[in-house]
Amino acid sequence: TEPNEFTFATVLSSCTGTFGFELGRQIHSLIIKRTLDTHIFVGSSLLDMYAKAGRIHEAREVFESLPERDVVSCTAIISGYAQLGLDAEALELFRRLNLEGMSSNYVTYASVLTALSGLAALDLGKQVHNHVLRCKLPFYVVLQNSLIDMYSKCGNLIYSRRIFDNMSERTVISWNAMLVGYSKHGMGREVVELYKLMRNENKIKPDSVTLLGVLSGCSHGGMENVGLEIFEEMVNGKDGVEPDIEHYGCVVDLLGRAGRVEEAFEFIKKMPFEPTAALWGSLLGACKVHLNIEVGEFVGHRLLEIEPENAGNYVILSNLYASTGRWEDVRMVRDLMLKKAVKKEPGRSWIELDQTLHSFHASDRSHPRREEVFAKMKELSIKFKEAGYVPDLSCVLHDVDEEQKEKILLGHSEKLALTFGLISTSDRAPLRVIKNLRICIDCHNFAKFVSKIYMREVYLRDKNRFHHISMGVCSCGDYW
């Protein structure tokens, strides 16, 4: 019996994983031979297969060659971009297809909200939420979960909680999205209270991700003793969730942030798992913050053995040496990076204004309003110093004089984004800045002065967490 378009569409949905993808490519060849590649069902399944395999360019080629498109094929390609973290591309495609008359369903909107979460584009997120309300789409749990996640990642936990509280039914994903939202904002007390509410309701059982969110919340919120109690309950089987390597990693992070570096090191030695690079990396970060050279040196070299291609490990070890003035060791680590051709990801910060994302790199001279930004930056530096701001030169890990260190600090991308926000928005408007790496202590202090002197709400989202600064006080409680 000859296979038809429905046969191929069905079989392609099974072509997942490395082995499945190779078979899928062969099936694609058969589809072309039978001239079924332009059929809407087959095309949608093909682009979905390529997207799930991370081959987004091939998926886009299939999509563009379709003579007609339906909501399934449009959603599949937007979702493909969003799942791979190509958020700007997903958003751009959604805009284009909307102009072409695409009718979106709840899955389309959930995919777009995923992209907006990555970009932390709050105004655009509100617009999509309005779209959903105007279209009178049924509020499926998947869509509500995406809205909770989007608002929390855009720094608006009030909206997240409002949606969560008004849900007629919640899945474990709903609870997890809210718990992780509080955790990323360093709101440890709220994390623990919500977790207790989940247990008391006893309708949905916590899963592995729930406990990760709770332990991470305790870590970010400086509640190490509560976190250790919850982990102990896990070990004793209270929630029926057996701790895995990631939960042990949370405990290491929790102890490390609290300055209990030696204890964290001993905890790793006694674990029933082989320590992962992520776990060692967490401990190395704690050694850098708390200047524990002895443990940090051991952990750093262990990481260079496990992950010789990860630039972050070289950078933290180099920074650890630099913070104690061991410049010869700094040069040794950097030479090793050059020898192994390892490149550090450049720091980048961005701010959304009038639905446009303005991106800045360290000492960026590419922005069209760069002269205004740098002039304002110098003005802020003088003004803040008069108000008590002292540049934290320990954040500059180069063997240069103090004047040069201060100049390097002023060029940090998050300072440029904040300064651009100040000169481009109305008085008292909140400033929302996102950074792809961790925010340094000096930029955190600088943002507190922006908030205090200019009466601005400042939202800083870095790679690990949110910092909500109001009147010069940060939600993280300066708990680094």
Side-chain angles (χ1 to χ4, degrees):
T1 306
E2 282 291 305
N4 62 14
E5 62 270 27
F6 300 105
T7 319
F8 284 118
T10 306
V11 171
L12 283 168
S13 66
S14 301
C15 295
T16 55
T18 309
F19 181 62
F21 176 68
E22 288 308 315
L23 286 174
R25 287 175 70 85
Q26 292 179 48
I27 291 166
H28 190 176
S29 300
L30 291 174
I31 289 166
I32 291 168
K33 284 179 184 175
R34 286 171 169 75
T35 63
L36 288 171
D37 51 316
T38 55
H39 194 282
I40 189 70
F41 296 155
V42 180
S44 296
S45 296
L46 270 172
L47 73 90
D48 190 51
M49 178 198 75
Y50 281 116
K52 282 176 179 169
R55 310 291 282 265
I56 199 67
H57 297 299
E58 287 95 326
R60 185 65 179 261
E61 281 177 23
V62 172
F63 178 76
E64 296 294 353
S65 66
L66 288 173
E68 59 174 300
R69 298 163 188 151
D70 62 0
V71 67
V72 176
S73 53
C74 291
T75 300
I77 190 68
I78 292 168
S79 176
Y81 277 112
Q83 295 301 327
L84 290 169
L86 300 166
D87 304 313
E89 292 86 343
L91 185 59
E92 190 52 47
L93 188 57
F94 173 70
R95 279 174 166 153
R96 191 194 105 189
L97 295 173
N98 244 354
L99 290 171
E100 290 176 8
M102 169 187 73
S103 61
S104 302
N105 63 15
Y106 76 97
V107 186
T108 320
Y109 284 118
S111 299
V112 174
L113 288 166
T114 299
L116 293 171
S117 298
L119 294 169
L122 180 62
D123 290 342
L124 292 171
K126 285 180 179 176
Q127 283 191 34
V128 170
H129 193 175
N130 284 331
H131 261 270
V132 172
L133 294 170
R134 280 202 303 272
C135 296
K136 294 182 178 174
L137 280 174
F139 263 96
Y140 294 103
V141 144
V142 173
L143 188 52
Q144 288 175 308
N145 291 344
S146 297
L147 283 165
I148 291 170
D149 186 56
M150 182 275 292
Y151 278 121
S152 75
K153 285 180 179 168
C154 290
N156 198 322
L157 280 173
I158 293 170
Y159 278 24
S160 291
R161 187 60 190 257
R162 193 178 295 167
I163 292 163
F164 178 82
D165 287 340
N166 289 325
M167 291 176 81
S168 54
E169 69 163 307
R170 300 184 189 117
T171 64
V172 72
I173 295 168
S174 317
W175 288 94
N176 292 350
M178 199 67 239
L179 282 164
V180 170
Y182 280 134
S183 171
K184 291 288 184 188
H185 284 74
M187 300 170 76
R189 198 176 297 106
E190 286 80 357
V191 170
V192 173
E193 282 174 8
L194 189 64
Y195 178 52
K196 284 177 182 173
L197 179 65
M198 185 184 191
R199 277 175 156 179
N200 292 338
E201 278 195 10
N202 206 25
K203 291 178 183 174
I204 303 288
K205 289 283 180 191
D207 65 5
S208 178
V209 177
T210 313
L211 273 302
L212 272 177
V214 175
L215 290 172
S216 177
C218 291
S219 176
H220 285 294
M223 300 171 68
E224 69 269 19
N225 291 328
V226 177
L228 291 170
E229 277 176 31
I230 290 168
F231 180 75
E232 196 61 39
E233 288 173 356
M234 274 188 83
V235 172
N236 295 330
K238 183 166 182 180
D239 283 306
V241 178
E242 203 171 311
D244 60 26
I245 188 70
E246 288 179 310
H247 298 100
Y248 278 87
C250 276
V251 175
V252 171
D253 187 56
L254 187 135
L255 291 169
R257 281 179 192 274
R260 295 157 68 172
V261 175
E262 301 284 350
E263 203 176 326
F265 193 31
E266 290 304 314
F267 180 80
I268 290 175
K269 291 177 186 175
K270 294 171 185 172
M271 284 191 331
F273 300 99
E274 185 67 28
T276 61
L279 204 140
W280 284 123
S282 172
L283 184 58
L284 181 59
C287 291
K288 160 68 181 71
V289 171
H290 299 289
L291 297 179
N292 191 315
I293 299 293
E294 191 181 341
V295 174
E297 198 164 15
F298 172 84
V299 173
H301 286 289
R302 182 82 188 90
L303 272 166
L304 298 190
E305 290 169 18
I306 302 171
E307 283 187 325
E309 74 294 336
N310 186 339
N313 299 328
Y314 293 86
V315 172
I316 297 173
L317 182 59
S318 167
N319 291 355
L320 181 62
Y321 284 137
S323 61
T324 54
R326 290 171 59 175
W327 300 112
E328 204 49 53
D329 289 315
V330 170
R331 278 186 277 277
M332 179 268 292
V333 173
R334 292 189 176 169
D335 287 346
L336 195 58
M337 280 183 81
L338 287 170
K339 185 181 172 185
K340 294 188 178 287
V342 177
K343 287 189 177 177
K344 174 188 176 288
E345 183 185 2
R348 183 171 70 94
S349 298
W350 60 97
I351 184 168
E352 181 197 356
L353 291 176
D354 301 322
Q355 296 172 40
T356 301
L357 288 172
H358 296 264
S359 186
F360 295 89
H361 293 272
S363 302
D364 198 352
R365 292 273 174 187
S366 61
H367 196 274
R369 294 177 66 186
R370 59 190 172 274
E371 298 308 325
E372 279 181 80
V373 171
F374 279 97
K376 184 68 175 177
M377 177 72 80
K378 286 176 186 173
E379 180 195 315
L380 292 178
S381 178
I382 296 164
K383 193 171 188 175
F384 290 176
K385 279 180 182 175
E386 287 170 356
Y389 164 67
V390 179
D392 192 329
L393 302 182
S394 69
C395 295
V396 181
L397 300 156
H398 298 282
D399 191 10
V400 292
D401 63 34
E402 292 200 351
E403 189 180 338
Q404 187 61 26
K405 283 185 178 184
E406 200 170 319
K407 193 175 177 183
I408 291 168
L409 278 179
L410 284 177
H412 279 196
S413 64
E414 50 269 61
K415 287 196 186 81
L416 297 177
L418 273 172
T419 305
F420 175 72
L422 273 178
I423 63 175
S424 308
T425 57
S426 58
D427 289 351
R428 305 291 178 95
L431 300 171
R432 299 174 190 276
V433 172
I434 301 95
K435 185 172 182 187
N436 62 333
L437 306 173
R438 288 301 309 275
I439 286 167
C440 80
I441 294 170
D442 185 69
C443 287
H444 187 264
N445 292 339
F446 186 88
K448 284 162 69 176
F449 276 90
V450 169
S451 167
K452 188 176 180 180
I453 291 172
Y454 287 92
M455 310 285 283
R456 300 283 193 119
E457 298 273 312
V458 177
Y459 297 87
L460 291 169
R461 192 183 97 181
D462 70 12
K463 192 176 182 179
N464 282 24
R465 67 189 294 174
F466 252 102
H467 300 269
H468 174 203
I469 304 170
S470 178
M471 295 302 292
V473 179
C474 184
S475 59
C476 76
D478 297 340
Y479 184 70
W480 222 253

